Structures are given as structure tokens and as C-alpha cells.
Amino acid sequence: VDSVCILGCSGAVGQEMLKCLEDRDFPTEKVRLFGNRSAGSTVSSKKFGDIVVEKFSLEAVQECDICLMAVSGDFSKEWAPKIAGGPKNTQVIDNSSAWRYDEDKPLVIPEINGEGRVGEPLIANPNCTTAVGAMALWPIHQKYKLKKVLMSTYQAASGAGAEGMAELENGLATWVKDGAVPKPEFFAHQLPFNVIPQIDKFQENGYTKEEMKVTWELQKIFGLDDDVKVACTAVRVPTLRAHSESITVETEEPISPDDVRELLKSAPGVKVVDEPGSLKYPMPLNATGNYDVEVGRIRQSIVFGEKGIEFFVSGDQLLRGAALNAVIIAENAVK
Ligand code: HSE
């Protein structure tokens, strides 16, 4: 294609989108970057040369073939349809939650439900927590049919954006210097030396919005029947990057850890790290910066017996959970 643009290029996800385009040698003549905070500055790309960041204008974005959006839901609600409906039929891949739950908008993880969706004008990227867990859950669902999914998450500070990372880093640095963690301004509670069992707003049913996103999005992406139940407890932990998840599933068919290990070894986007004897299992430190979601601690569930397994995943939520997912959708569109 002639050009791909990134909207929100200076945010945590926008920066990773550019890295993915470079790293995967995306077939475009030009990359344009839009970001109101960084407009006027120059980004030196090893593949696409020096790029001057532009201030957002509808006309400029409509000149591009593909638009990767890493902006807020409100911004996306207002502008994505106008960009997608522009003179060049720009394809928009949106990372916010603005379009994920609209019935007529595809919510896509390319390796799972991307087929037949490539030409759609506006495609939604899933929530990062959903995407990371889905990579392991999908092959299991295909072979054994999910009946119940219980998930607890361990979500890195970067999931809340640059301000979240800064508050964790500053909090730890101040503790080293002064022996006390400053009062939090961004998170509801101090994150260093703590975990916070709340991400996003509480809903009427007692779950948070982050937790319900996992339920809603797995239902939509996998096309689950209403009687398949998915529940999540989402927790912020003081890691910097990569989300981890402890997952228990009950299946319709008998399932065994050895079979699941074999199944996941050949699954796209997944790396089995499961050698308890040598203390090898998924950890966010190792998953950071990698495309594949690590899966390990695979064991028969003593709760659900022969129709249940439990496992642990760690995946870079800025990559599989956001930038990488969007770039693979775009790659499939230009093939
Ligand atoms: N909402 C997630 C989090 C990030 O706060 O960790 C991406 O969905």
C-alpha cells in the first residue's frame, strides 16, 4: 500500500505499533504519525526514515490506506466512521472499546476469527486481557468445547498507560530514596508493595468493567453459546509490562494436560513454557517484548476432574493485546 498511519503515535500502544510495522517489514511506502501532544517532533524510524509527527486532521488521515488507531474511545467514536468512510476507503483498525460491542463491527483476533473480515472498513481490536487469554483458550475450545472459564488476572501497570508506569517507577524510586511511597494520584491505591483488585469501574453486578470485557469479548470472538460461562477477577499488580492470568476451565469433553501441551505447541501465537522440574513456567519478565503468549503450569483440575484443566499464561499486553494484533489484521488486509 502507499501509506499506513498511526493515530496516537506517542502513547504506549502507538509506539509499539510503529515497532511492529518495522519489525514485520510491513509492505507500505510510507508511515505517517499523528499525535497532538507530540506534533512537530521527529521520529527516526530504521525502516521508514525520519517521520515528522502531524497534528490530527481528517483530510490528512483520509489520504492513508490503513489507519491504526491508538486513541481514546470518545475520539474513536467521533472520528473512526468519518475516516473509514473517506475518499480512499481507509481501513480503520481501532484499539479502543468504542466499537467492540457493536453487533455489526467485527472484533478480531486474526488467528481466531480473522477469516472473511479482511475487507471490513472498521475492525475493533480486543481488550488486552481478553486477547492474551484467548490465544490459549481458543485451541482448547476448538478441541474440547469450553463449558466454564474462571480467570484471575495479574495486570501490569503499563496496561493503564504511561501514567501508570510512571507512578509505579516513581513510587519505588521515592521509597529507595526516602523510605516511603508517595500518595497515589493515578491509581486508586498505592501500587508498590500492593495489589489492587479493581481495574476500571464497578458494574451493577459487582464485577468491574475490565472483568466484564473478558466475558463479553470471549463470547463475541469465540461465538460462544449463552450457556458457556466466563468469569474474571482482574487485579493490578506492581509489574511494569505483560499481563498474566490464572485460568481454570471446565470442558464438555475429557481433557488431559499432556494433550493440551501437545495441542498448544502447534497453536499460533502461543509458546508452551511448562517444565516445573526445572522451575520453568510463564512469567511477565520473560513474556515482555515477545509476540507469543507463554502458557504453562498446565495441570488436571482437582475441582473439575477429567473434564477440567488449570494453567497460567503471561503475554505482552502491548503486543498481542494491542499493537501486534492490529498490525496482523492490517497485514492480512493487504495480502
Ligand atoms: N485495560 C487494560 C489494563 C489494558 O488496564 O490493564 C488494555 O485493555
Side-chain angles (χ1 to χ4, degrees):
V1 295
D2 294 334
S3 61
V4 174
C5 70
I6 300 172
L7 249 66
C9 66
S10 53
V13 173
Q15 289 184 36
E16 292 301 323
M17 283 171 165
L18 178 61
K19 283 194 216 153
C20 287
L21 291 173
E22 292 172 342
D23 187 39
R24 299 174 68 87
D25 227 351
F26 194 90
T28 179
E29 293 294 314
K30 202 153 113 186
V31 171
R32 293 174 72 173
L33 300 176
F34 293 89
N36 285 351
R37 265 175 298 147
S38 53
S41 63
T42 301
V43 173
S44 295
S45 160
K46 54 185 187 291
K47 177 161 162 55
F48 302 109
D50 285 350
I51 311 170
V52 178
V53 178
E54 301 171 63
K55 214 172 156 53
F56 172 75
S57 93
L58 181 61
E59 294 69 29
V61 176
Q62 282 178 332
E63 289 167 6
C64 302
D65 298 285
I66 293 175
C67 171
L68 305 176
M69 290 184 90
V71 293
S72 72
D74 288 345
F75 189 96
S76 177
K77 264 275 176 250
E78 180 172 357
W79 295 104
K82 299 188 178 98
I83 297 167
K88 213 168 173 186
N89 292 323
T90 304
Q91 185 176 40
V92 176
I93 300 158
D94 179 50
N95 196 55
S96 79
S97 57
W99 307 100
R100 289 179 191 154
Y101 314 115
D102 283 31
E103 242 170 66
D104 62 335
K105 298 287 184 297
L107 174 62
V108 170
I109 296 177
E111 294 86 342
I112 297 176
N113 66 341
E115 230 165 83
R117 260 54 188 270
V118 288
E120 296 273 349
L122 203 171
I123 296 182
N125 227 15
N127 174 262
C128 54
T129 307
T130 310
V132 166
M135 298 311 289
L137 285 166
W138 176 244
I140 294 171
H141 178 55
Q142 279 182 301
K143 185 153 181 207
Y144 304 98
K145 288 269 161 292
L146 295 173
K147 200 169 164 190
K148 294 196 179 87
V149 178
L150 298 166
M151 181 188 288
S152 295
T153 73
Y154 307 78
Q155 296 185 218
S158 56
E163 287 163 295
M165 279 193 278
E167 188 161 291
L168 175 60
E169 286 172 331
N170 295 339
L172 290 170
T174 309
W175 179 77
V176 169
K177 197 159 62 71
D178 303 337
V181 177
K183 213 169 138 13
E185 286 174 7
F186 181 72
F187 290 117
H189 300 276
Q190 165 186 328
L191 190 56
F193 314 113
N194 198 14
V195 297
I196 305 172
Q198 182 205 342
I199 298 177
D200 213 336
K201 295 189 179 59
F202 282 101
Q203 312 290 288
E204 272 180 17
N205 64 1
Y207 288 85
T208 62
K209 192 163 179 206
E210 181 78 1
E211 291 161 353
M212 290 312 297
K213 282 178 178 177
V214 173
T215 302
W216 297 328
E217 296 180 21
L218 282 181
Q219 273 166 345
K220 180 164 174 177
I221 296 166
F222 288 8
L224 297 176
D225 296 336
D226 287 346
D227 57 354
V228 180
K229 303 296 180 199
V230 177
C232 176
T233 301
V235 182
R236 185 76 64 202
V237 300
T239 53
L240 261 189
R241 182 157 161 175
H243 286 1
S244 303
E245 299 167 5
S246 162
I247 304 178
T248 299
V249 298
E250 187 189 15
T251 51
E252 296 286 352
E253 303 297 329
I255 185 168
S256 81
D258 282 345
D259 288 352
V260 169
R261 262 179 229 113
E262 276 317 298
L263 177 72
L264 293 179
K265 272 183 196 156
S266 54
V270 168
K271 182 179 174 200
V272 175
V273 182
D274 198 17
E275 294 172 37
S278 43
L279 310 188
K280 289 195 179 133
Y281 26 69
M283 289 196 294
L285 264 186
N286 298 336
T288 293
N290 293 332
Y291 286 166
D292 287 344
V293 171
E294 297 190 354
V295 189
R297 299 286 327 274
I298 303 169
R299 59 208 190 269
Q300 200 86 51
S301 169
I302 57 173
V303 176
F304 293 116
E306 65 163 11
K307 291 188 176 173
I309 55 155
E310 309 197 6
F311 54 95
F312 193 79
V313 306
S314 289
D316 191 316
Q317 93 286 356
L318 292 176
L319 293 175
R320 167 49 67 184
L324 174 70
N325 201 73
V327 168
I328 299 177
I329 294 172
E331 279 172 2
N332 291 345
V334 301
K335 260 185 196 157

